[in-house]
Amino acid sequence: MYRPVLDSVSGSLALTALVAMLPLLTLFVLLGVLRMTAWKAALVSLVVSLLVAVVAYSMPVGQAFMAGLEGAAFGFFPILWIVINAIWVYNMTVVTGHFDVLRRSFAKVSDDQRIQAIIIAFCFGALMEALAGFGTPVAITSVMLIALGFKPIKAAVVALVANTAPVAFGALAVPITTLATVSGIPEHTLAQIVGRQTPLLGVFVPMALVYIIDKGRGVRETLPATLTCGFAFAIAQFVTSNFVSTQLTDIVASLVAAAAVVLLLRVWRPANSYVEAEEVSTVAATPGTSGGLRGESASLPSGSGIGAAVGRAGYPIARDAGTPAPADDSNHHDSGSDVFKAYAPYLIIIAVFSIAQIPVIKDALAAPSKAFQWPGLDLQTASGKTSTLPTFKLNWLAAAGTLMVIAGLITIPVIGISVAKAFRAYLDTYRQLAFAIVTVMAVLGLAYVMNSSGQTATLGTWMAGAGAAFAAFSPILGWLGVAVTGSDTSSNSLFGALQVSAANKTGLSPALMAAANSSGGVLGKMISPQNLAIAAAAVGMSGKEGDIFRKVIGWSLGFLAFMSVIVYLQSTSVLSWMLP
């Protein structure tokens, strides 16, 4: 039986905390300073965590290794199991051409790029985050925006900033599920609290997207749309997370927000329809007139590899050779059948997951689940209680990833893809995600080693010295975790237990601090190296991640400060009424 000693280094809590920081510092430096590939940095940091566990905490080598192995297994199932299968469904729509139909369908809702950004980057991006997460919405929506005529760097920035409010409930709420596992706090309790924090971000993110595209004038001209979208999303996210289903939260919120905007556009349109124009030579901005087009002046970058394409407004749009050309869809007509097939995969996914929530079916799916003690692990907490970490739950049939497989199998005949092509797309998905799979499994392995050996508890106990002010720092921890790992799930694994430990020491609510880790974490996603790389590659600007970073860091820090204030006030009598 292994029981961690929190001040194992010379009997000093502060010194032990400094040693316990080494795995995280290694990850931060390798990714943020040395810019090492994410999967390599994660593996190196995992090795460091094992060394700290064995040398500094005297954890038996076998138990330390088995803890890392359990974390890696949890990283694959259930986390990567949902991501892999969700991206498989998306890849099938690309193979059949139905993704292009979906893009054209969105473009026909409005010719105003500010409205298109709200619908595609925020609403559709939130749906992609709900179904897959882990960078999927950034990759998909940035390509869609490029195809609609956005400048590459602006498309990347819009996609990254949009990918905030939905993140905590992304991948069918895997971050919340993971947080509940490592913190010991009921999943529904965490979902209720996060569902009373992130909706506040959802109100303002659509306005931020419009400001990025068209500054203050655009925000004023589209205020009815941004407010409608923001409030619809926020209310739906709050209601679903608190009273309906944790897993369906973002699915419902994204669809309600999109429907609200589409309905609004039937009775209201912006006075000026904004279409960005990027010309071969520097030109003056086209003056806006009521009901007319208003372009943005720009110049063609110098150097080879730059081509030009004609945009919908008739302006030549400059683009990098590596980016998709904006599609001219003005004369393209998709049949009703094609449009239905384009939306069908997502409708099927929603139907499958909704049916799975019916009590009788939910119980039937959960029946084959098995919980077992991970071999070679015999752990206690620092207080002497039996640790729950070695308990591994294999709910293979009820798992979100398995439901996604079922939805994918139903999708095959509906969209008309052959079984052979569908299988090939499935294998291609594994090849496409190979490095991401290694990264996530290594980060989860690191988290389990830190939690099992006592490294996380040491850090939490030491940080509890901040007292009540820790409430303001709690979201920052989550932000740092996501900034480094690129995943709210991984951040919750790293810091979920730490947040609870610190809360217990300071007299704060453990549930509030754990939830704040997830809510603060969503704001670190836009600056994480992985997501910056995904965005840059999607828009053909690989190597320009630094340029994108400088454009999103201000939004990330601004929203983080806002969230820190909210969490701190929720820990006091000022906003404690917001909590369940």
Side-chain angles (χ1 to χ4, degrees), residues 533 536-545:
V539 301
M541 295 188 66
S542 293
K544 300 291 185 182
E545 289 85 357

PDB file of all heavy atoms in Angstrom, residues 533 536-545:
ATOM      1  N   ALA A 533      -1.235  25.645 -34.215  1.00  0.00           N
ATOM      2  CA  ALA A 533      -0.686  24.895 -35.354  1.00  0.00           C
ATOM      3  C   ALA A 533      -1.801  24.383 -36.261  1.00  0.00           C
ATOM      4  O   ALA A 533      -1.689  24.420 -37.490  1.00  0.00           O
ATOM      5  CB  ALA A 533       0.157  23.731 -34.838  1.00  0.00           C
ATOM      6  N   ALA A 536      -3.179  27.414 -38.192  1.00  0.00           N
ATOM      7  CA  ALA A 536      -2.239  27.888 -39.209  1.00  0.00           C
ATOM      8  C   ALA A 536      -2.180  26.929 -40.394  1.00  0.00           C
ATOM      9  O   ALA A 536      -2.170  27.350 -41.552  1.00  0.00           O
ATOM     10  CB  ALA A 536      -0.853  28.057 -38.592  1.00  0.00           C
ATOM     11  N   ALA A 537      -2.156  25.633 -40.103  1.00  0.00           N
ATOM     12  CA  ALA A 537      -2.107  24.641 -41.186  1.00  0.00           C
ATOM     13  C   ALA A 537      -3.384  24.665 -42.011  1.00  0.00           C
ATOM     14  O   ALA A 537      -3.342  24.545 -43.241  1.00  0.00           O
ATOM     15  CB  ALA A 537      -1.888  23.253 -40.594  1.00  0.00           C
ATOM     16  N   ALA A 538      -4.521  24.855 -41.346  1.00  0.00           N
ATOM     17  CA  ALA A 538      -5.810  24.825 -42.054  1.00  0.00           C
ATOM     18  C   ALA A 538      -5.933  25.965 -43.063  1.00  0.00           C
ATOM     19  O   ALA A 538      -6.547  25.802 -44.118  1.00  0.00           O
ATOM     20  CB  ALA A 538      -6.956  24.889 -41.051  1.00  0.00           C
ATOM     21  N   VAL A 539      -5.351  27.132 -42.734  1.00  0.00           N
ATOM     22  CA  VAL A 539      -5.484  28.282 -43.629  1.00  0.00           C
ATOM     23  C   VAL A 539      -4.236  28.505 -44.478  1.00  0.00           C
ATOM     24  O   VAL A 539      -4.088  29.535 -45.130  1.00  0.00           O
ATOM     25  CB  VAL A 539      -5.808  29.567 -42.828  1.00  0.00           C
ATOM     26  CG1 VAL A 539      -7.098  29.404 -42.057  1.00  0.00           C
ATOM     27  CG2 VAL A 539      -4.655  29.945 -41.888  1.00  0.00           C
ATOM     28  N   GLY A 540      -3.309  27.534 -44.465  1.00  0.00           N
ATOM     29  CA  GLY A 540      -2.132  27.628 -45.311  1.00  0.00           C
ATOM     30  C   GLY A 540      -1.090  28.602 -44.815  1.00  0.00           C
ATOM     31  O   GLY A 540      -0.365  29.192 -45.616  1.00  0.00           O
ATOM     32  N   MET A 541      -0.995  28.776 -43.482  1.00  0.00           N
ATOM     33  CA  MET A 541      -0.017  29.705 -42.925  1.00  0.00           C
ATOM     34  C   MET A 541       0.896  29.016 -41.922  1.00  0.00           C
ATOM     35  O   MET A 541       1.273  29.591 -40.901  1.00  0.00           O
ATOM     36  CB  MET A 541      -0.729  30.885 -42.263  1.00  0.00           C
ATOM     37  CG  MET A 541      -1.513  31.749 -43.224  1.00  0.00           C
ATOM     38  SD  MET A 541      -2.162  33.257 -42.459  1.00  0.00           S
ATOM     39  CE  MET A 541      -0.646  34.136 -42.083  1.00  0.00           C
ATOM     40  N   SER A 542       1.246  27.782 -42.184  1.00  0.00           N
ATOM     41  CA  SER A 542       2.160  27.063 -41.301  1.00  0.00           C
ATOM     42  C   SER A 542       3.463  27.842 -41.158  1.00  0.00           C
ATOM     43  O   SER A 542       4.016  28.336 -42.136  1.00  0.00           O
ATOM     44  CB  SER A 542       2.456  25.668 -41.861  1.00  0.00           C
ATOM     45  OG  SER A 542       1.293  24.870 -41.826  1.00  0.00           O
ATOM     46  N   GLY A 543       3.927  27.953 -39.925  1.00  0.00           N
ATOM     47  CA  GLY A 543       5.104  28.755 -39.645  1.00  0.00           C
ATOM     48  C   GLY A 543       4.771  30.153 -39.195  1.00  0.00           C
ATOM     49  O   GLY A 543       5.641  30.899 -38.725  1.00  0.00           O
ATOM     50  N   LYS A 544       3.503  30.559 -39.342  1.00  0.00           N
ATOM     51  CA  LYS A 544       3.065  31.900 -38.944  1.00  0.00           C
ATOM     52  C   LYS A 544       2.253  31.864 -37.644  1.00  0.00           C
ATOM     53  O   LYS A 544       1.461  32.758 -37.377  1.00  0.00           O
ATOM     54  CB  LYS A 544       2.211  32.521 -40.053  1.00  0.00           C
ATOM     55  CG  LYS A 544       2.926  32.675 -41.377  1.00  0.00           C
ATOM     56  CD  LYS A 544       4.008  33.733 -41.309  1.00  0.00           C
ATOM     57  CE  LYS A 544       4.641  33.961 -42.684  1.00  0.00           C
ATOM     58  NZ  LYS A 544       5.730  34.971 -42.617  1.00  0.00           N
ATOM     59  N   GLU A 545       2.446  30.795 -36.846  1.00  0.00           N
ATOM     60  CA  GLU A 545       1.688  30.668 -35.605  1.00  0.00           C
ATOM     61  C   GLU A 545       1.901  31.859 -34.687  1.00  0.00           C
ATOM     62  O   GLU A 545       0.986  32.279 -33.969  1.00  0.00           O
ATOM     63  CB  GLU A 545       2.084  29.379 -34.871  1.00  0.00           C
ATOM     64  CG  GLU A 545       1.610  28.104 -35.546  1.00  0.00           C
ATOM     65  CD  GLU A 545       2.543  27.613 -36.636  1.00  0.00           C
ATOM     66  OE1 GLU A 545       3.558  28.311 -36.911  1.00  0.00           O
ATOM     67  OE2 GLU A 545       2.274  26.558 -37.223  1.00  0.00           O
TER      68      GLU A 545
END
